[in-house]
RNA sequence: GCGCCUGUAGCUCAGGGGAUAGAGCAUCUGCCUUCUAAGCAGGUGGCCGGGGGUUCGAAUCCCUCCAGGCGCGCCA
């Protein structure tokens, strides 16, 4: 149940009845700052004071009588002008029962029913292993996609492969070098070269597969062959690494698909709009017309399309596939957002449908020194190394604790030491404690399927936990609106905290007090279901024991 | 120089113009004969980068300065 939405609606209704030409703003109904202020609070009276020329306290007093509702036990106007809403205990228990019956339905809404969303993420260049830096889009994109699914959207997850660019050729040149070195004992270093160890790995894998010796081919043919091979090799590795983080795609889109006339057609469409011009042998997009810093090249002197031209075509294709919403998860080093959106507007697409989540880059430190990562120098920490050191759960959790527009800094040493104080364990431990309680209950012969007709909760720690559960739908919806998975992570830590408190205060399995025991077992079972759903959203495991 | 992001406790970070600025970690003090102490309770710790402005009210919005990151290719 989304109480914020409900309350905002009620307040707007009151404003209308009073003929006050004023509309509430989303932030005006929010969770109360502390438990003594109830569950939800509004600052509407404070905002009305000036218009109505009355004190906020007076206004609060005049609104309260109009707001009676079965959901709330108490609606209180404070002298300083807040209105605090206290959820009714009976209603809270009703919410618990609903959460138990169908946790997914309890947590979500059907906002996206019948709608289609495409979400594209990671899409790293297959010119090397996926690194700690470019993997960040993985957990973010995957969790956002999970949220869309939760809220009823038909969700497609896409990985875009740049299989046409010069960087693939550079990789092939590098692999070719190693093959020549291996077979001939010597080779000329190509002008463009990737120094990483993985390049040798590709060369060795190629030779092991008993391929016809590339050395008999002319250079051009050899490079073409090796481009293909290296690309597929790296893609397999990337998807294997992502698989360990439980990241999967419903489809892969290859840039080469666009080069069968679609890209040329897209450029023609832009030209038809008068948005391109020829200069110095290249075809330019007149993006300054829309406020861009400078015009952008679409077709180079040699006639080959730029990355931007490809991406405009790719997004045109996304739009033409008919989604209600298109989400791009981009690293901060992607700089062509502006001209891309200009082009799409020009092509007649609704920009509002396209949401771009830009995440800031990852910075690694060791002994206080930043480790600079670069594929071209071969210096980087691969995602694989990180997963091997700290496991997939901690890896995902680290990526998901920070807001995407926050730089992600972490120290290699502290992260590699598998620190048991990592916050992911705090939340997971709460979960395993729940599971421990249920095991104990079962061992003592209690019936876990039994749901009492009357549930009684008297301890403060119990009601606090129940209230936290009741607030979750609002919290999740907020995380969804903002496409901010890290808020879910925070909620899990918060929920864990409230549970640990409950655990200390309230003995659950207690044969001397069967009624209290049954109510608490029910509560723990609901919590298990809720936490499972939240961990699933984050793609993090729910261990039985730790 | 221009554009985007950031600056909040010792560290990593939450915080939708409103009530006394929060969490985890670290540190100090207590708590295991009871469902896992990877926990709980309590203490220490803050000119919310500086300055100005808007407002009844600013960590939050605007301007400016300082500091850091990223981008500013006929690379992808």
């Amino acid at each position: 149940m989304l109480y914020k939405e409900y309350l905002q609606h009620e307040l707007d209704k009151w404003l209308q009845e009073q003929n006050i030409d004023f509309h509430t703003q989303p932030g005006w109904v929010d969770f109360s700052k502390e438990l003594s202020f109830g569950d939800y609070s509004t600052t509407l009276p404070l905002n009305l004071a000036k218009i109505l020329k009355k004190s906020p306290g007076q206004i609060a007093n005049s609104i309260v009588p109009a707001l009676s509702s079965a959901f709330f036990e108490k609606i209180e106007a404070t002298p300083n002008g807040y209105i605090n809403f206290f959820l009714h205990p009976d209603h809270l228990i009703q919410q618990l029962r609903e959460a138990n019956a169908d946790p997914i339905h309890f947590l979500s809404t059907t906002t996206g029913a019948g709608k289609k969303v495409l979400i594209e993420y990671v899409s790293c260049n297959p010119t090397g292993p996926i690194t700690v830096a470019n993997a960040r889009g993985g957990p973010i994109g995957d969790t956002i996609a999970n949220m869309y699914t939760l809220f009823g959207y038909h969700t497609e997850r896409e990985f875009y492969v740049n299989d046409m660019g010069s960087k693939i050729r550079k990789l092939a040149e590098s692999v070719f070098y190693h093959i020549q070195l291996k077979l001939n004992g010597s080779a000329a270093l190509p002008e463009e070269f990737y120094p990483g160890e993985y390049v040798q790995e590709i060369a060795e894998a190629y030779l092991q597969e008993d391929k016809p010796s590339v050395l008999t081919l002319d250079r051009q043919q050899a490079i073409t062959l090796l481009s293909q091979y290296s690309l597929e090799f790296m893609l397999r590795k990337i998807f294997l690494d992502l698989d360990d983080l439980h990241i999967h795609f419903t489809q892969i889109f290859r840039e080469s698909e666009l080069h069968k006339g679609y890209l040329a057609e897209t450029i023609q469409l832009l030209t038809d709009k008068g948005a391109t011009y020829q200069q110095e042998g290249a075809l330019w997009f007149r993006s300054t017309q829309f406020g861009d810093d400078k015009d952008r090249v679409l077709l180079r002197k040699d006639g080959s399309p730029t990355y931007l031209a490809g991406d405009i075509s790719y997004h045109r294709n996304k739009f033409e596939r008919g989604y209600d919403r298109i989400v791009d998860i981009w690293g901060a080093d992607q700089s062509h957002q502006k001209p891309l959106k200009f082009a799409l507007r020009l092509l007649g697409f609704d920009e509002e449908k396209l949401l771009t989540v830009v995440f800031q880059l990852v910075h690694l430190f060791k002994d206080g020194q930043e480790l600079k990562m670069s594929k071209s120098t071969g210096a980087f920490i691969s995602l694989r190394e990180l997963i091997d050191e700290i496991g997939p759960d901690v890896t995902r959790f680290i990526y998901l604790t920070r807001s995407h527009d926050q730089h992600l800094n972490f120290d290699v040493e502290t992260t590699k030491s598998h620190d048991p104080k990592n916050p992911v364990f705090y939340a997971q431990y709460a979960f395993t404690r729940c599971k421990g309680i249920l095991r104990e209950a079962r061992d003592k012969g209690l019936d876990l399927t039994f749901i009492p007709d009357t549930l009684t909760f008297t301890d403060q720690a119990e009601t606090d936990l129940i209230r936290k559960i009741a607030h979750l739908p609002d919290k999740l919806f907020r995380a969804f609106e903002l496409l901010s998975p890290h808020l879910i992570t925070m909620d899990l830590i918060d929920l864990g905290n409230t549970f640990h408190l409950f655990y200390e205060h309230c003995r659950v399995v207690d044969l001397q007090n069967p009624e209290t025991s049954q109510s608490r077992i029910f509560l723990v079972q609901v919590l298990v279901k809720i936490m499972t759903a939240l961990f699933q959203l984050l793609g993090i495991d729910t261990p039985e024991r730790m």
Side-chain angles (χ1 to χ4, degrees):
Chain A
M1 162 99 204
L2 298 180
Y3 299 101
K4 286 194 197 180
E5 204 173 74
Y6 169 79
L7 288 172
Q8 204 184 326
H9 179 76
E10 290 297 300
L11 292 170
D12 275 325
K13 215 164 73 184
W14 179 83
L15 285 165
Q16 215 172 8
E17 282 164 10
Q18 302 293 312
N19 276 318
I20 302 169
D21 187 22
F22 207 62
H23 291 279
T24 58
Q25 306 226 340
W28 292 356
V29 178
D30 208 345
F31 301 105
S32 301
K33 280 194 78 171
E34 18 176 301
L35 295 168
S36 62
F37 296 151
D39 293 283
Y40 293 84
S41 303
T42 180
T43 57
L44 178 66
L46 293 151
N47 293 290
L48 283 176
K50 202 169 190 177
I51 302 178
L52 300 185
K53 296 191 169 71
K54 283 190 203 164
S55 83
Q58 282 177 299
I59 298 168
N61 272 319
S62 61
I63 298 177
V64 165
L67 294 176
S68 66
S69 158
F71 300 145
F72 301 102
E73 178 184 33
K74 184 169 73 165
I75 298 173
E76 140 195 289
T78 71
N80 56 350
Y82 290 85
I83 302 175
N84 295 327
F85 301 88
F86 297 73
L87 287 168
H88 198 289
D90 294 343
H91 176 69
L92 284 170
I93 285 170
Q94 186 53 36
Q95 290 302 102
L96 269 192
R97 289 190 191 275
E98 282 179 29
N100 181 61
D102 188 347
I104 297 300
H105 181 257
F106 167 75
L107 285 171
S108 60
T109 66
T110 50
T111 312
K115 291 184 190 155
K116 278 174 68 184
V117 60
L118 175 70
I119 167 156
E120 181 221 330
Y121 49 108
V122 187
S123 300
C124 57
N125 268 322
T127 54
I130 182 165
T131 68
V132 165
N134 50 27
R136 191 175 182 189
I140 293 176
D142 187 56
T143 304
I144 288 176
N146 290 343
M147 286 198 274
Y148 272 107
T149 304
L150 180 76
F151 283 94
Y153 283 81
H154 173 81
T155 309
E156 292 179 29
R157 303 152 190 254
E158 190 157 291
F159 186 104
Y160 181 58
V161 183
N162 306 120
D163 57 350
M164 293 297 286
S166 61
K167 300 221 162 160
I168 290 294
R169 204 160 50 247
K170 180 175 163 184
L171 177 65
E173 296 270 6
S174 310
V175 172
F176 192 45
Y177 165 79
H178 281 291
I179 289 174
Q180 288 172 310
L181 202 61
K182 193 113 183 156
L183 297 179
N184 295 345
S186 70
L189 203 63
E191 268 177 51
E192 295 230 78
F193 181 67
Y194 285 115
E197 271 177 35
Y198 65 90
V199 182
Q200 280 185 58
E201 228 179 281
I202 302 173
E204 278 158 23
Y206 183 84
L207 291 174
Q208 277 200 355
E209 283 186 28
D210 197 26
K211 298 272 179 186
S213 174
V214 279
L215 296 186
T216 62
L217 300 171
D218 73 51
R219 189 174 180 88
Q220 205 55 14
Q221 283 176 306
I223 294 301
T224 305
L225 198 67
L226 286 173
S227 292
Q228 192 60 29
Y229 182 84
S230 306
L231 177 88
E232 300 307 327
F233 184 91
M234 281 322 307
L235 271 182
R236 273 199 305 278
K237 285 204 78 138
I238 288 166
F239 287 130
L240 271 175
D241 289 350
L242 289 170
D243 181 67
D244 270 20
L245 288 183
H246 315 123
I247 293 166
H248 305 104
F249 296 90
T250 51
Q251 62 233 24
I252 294 173
F253 192 102
R254 289 167 191 264
E255 186 188 351
S256 50
E257 287 299 310
L258 300 167
H259 290 246
K260 297 167 181 168
Y262 191 82
L263 196 149
E265 188 183 278
T266 307
I267 289 176
Q268 187 56 49
L269 287 173
L270 288 172
T271 302
D272 292 347
K273 302 271 182 191
T276 67
Y277 61 92
Q278 289 280 344
Q279 193 177 357
E280 293 167 8
L283 186 77
W284 294 71
F285 174 40
R286 214 184 288 277
S287 56
T288 45
Q289 224 174 26
F290 302 91
D292 202 1
D293 303 343
K294 56 191 162 206
D295 288 342
R296 313 280 172 163
V297 172
L298 294 175
L299 292 176
R300 302 186 187 95
K301 234 180 281 181
D302 66 3
S304 62
T306 58
Y307 181 78
L308 175 64
D311 218 32
I312 292 171
S313 308
Y314 175 40
H315 281 81
R316 175 190 159 214
N317 179 274
K318 286 185 184 181
F319 272 97
E320 287 181 345
R321 278 188 263 162
Y323 299 101
D324 297 283
R325 205 177 263 196
I326 296 165
V327 183
D328 287 351
I329 313 291
W330 281 8
D333 54 345
Q334 297 281 312
S335 57
H336 63 290
Q337 196 181 150
K338 263 190 188 173
L340 172 65
K341 290 202 169 175
F342 295 151
L344 291 170
R345 191 195 307 165
L346 201 61
L347 292 172
F349 298 115
D350 178 9
E351 278 170 278
E352 300 290 304
K353 278 187 183 174
L354 175 64
L355 302 177
T356 312
V357 175
V358 176
F359 61 88
Q360 296 301 309
L361 298 189
V362 176
H363 301 284
L364 284 181
F365 293 85
K366 190 173 186 172
D367 307 322
Q369 286 285 314
E370 181 167 1
L371 299 174
K372 290 283 180 187
M373 290 189 284
S374 161
K375 264 182 204 167
S376 36
T377 63
F380 57 83
I381 307 282
S382 67
L383 176 64
R384 166 63 37 208
E385 287 172 82
L386 189 65
I387 296 174
D388 287 347
E389 285 289 341
I390 64 177
D393 285 349
V394 180
T395 303
R396 267 194 86 123
F397 202 81
I398 286 173
Y399 281 119
L400 294 173
T401 356
R402 285 137 178 103
S403 161
H404 55 78
D405 54 15
Q406 187 75 235
H407 299 271
L408 177 52
N409 303 314
F410 57 89
D411 191 281
V412 178
E413 292 310 312
T414 53
T415 311
K416 279 192 172 183
S417 65
H418 198 271
D419 189 355
K421 291 293 182 190
N422 192 303
V424 68
F425 298 127
Y426 184 82
Q428 280 184 325
Y429 184 53
F431 183 82
T432 57
R433 275 181 145 182
C434 289
K435 297 299 275 190
I437 290 170
L438 297 181
R439 271 196 305 273
E440 174 75 10
R442 204 177 300 117
D443 291 348
K444 290 264 169 75
L446 294 170
D447 180 9
L448 296 187
T449 58
F450 175 68
I451 303 173
D453 287 337
T454 50
L455 292 161
T456 43
F457 300 103
T458 50
D459 197 286
Q460 183 70 41
E462 290 174 319
T463 42
D464 286 353
L465 185 56
I466 296 166
R467 287 164 73 183
K468 280 275 157 67
I469 292 173
H471 299 168
L472 277 173
D474 270 315
K475 297 215 164 172
L476 259 186
F477 190 70
R478 173 92 180 127
F480 175 61
E481 275 182 319
L482 295 178
L483 300 184
S484 294
H486 75 281
L487 295 175
I488 304 172
T489 314
M490 298 292 159
D491 293 339
L492 262 172
I493 291 172
D494 192 39
L495 202 58
N497 179 266
T498 312
F499 168 77
H500 285 309
L501 224 133
F502 161 80
Y503 186 91
E504 297 292 329
H505 281 85
C506 303
R507 175 76 200 181
V508 177
V509 182
D510 182 2
L511 299 178
Q512 305 304 313
N513 294 294
E515 281 176 30
T516 308
S517 210
Q518 283 294 354
S519 291
R520 288 178 177 171
I521 287 170
F522 178 75
L523 175 56
V524 169
Q525 294 208 85
V526 172
L527 190 61
V528 163
K529 289 182 184 178
I530 295 290
M531 286 188 94
T532 301
L534 294 180
F535 275 120
Q536 267 171 8
L537 271 177
L538 297 178
I540 290 172
D541 198 26
T542 45
E544 291 288 316
R545 298 165 199 269
M546 283 172 79

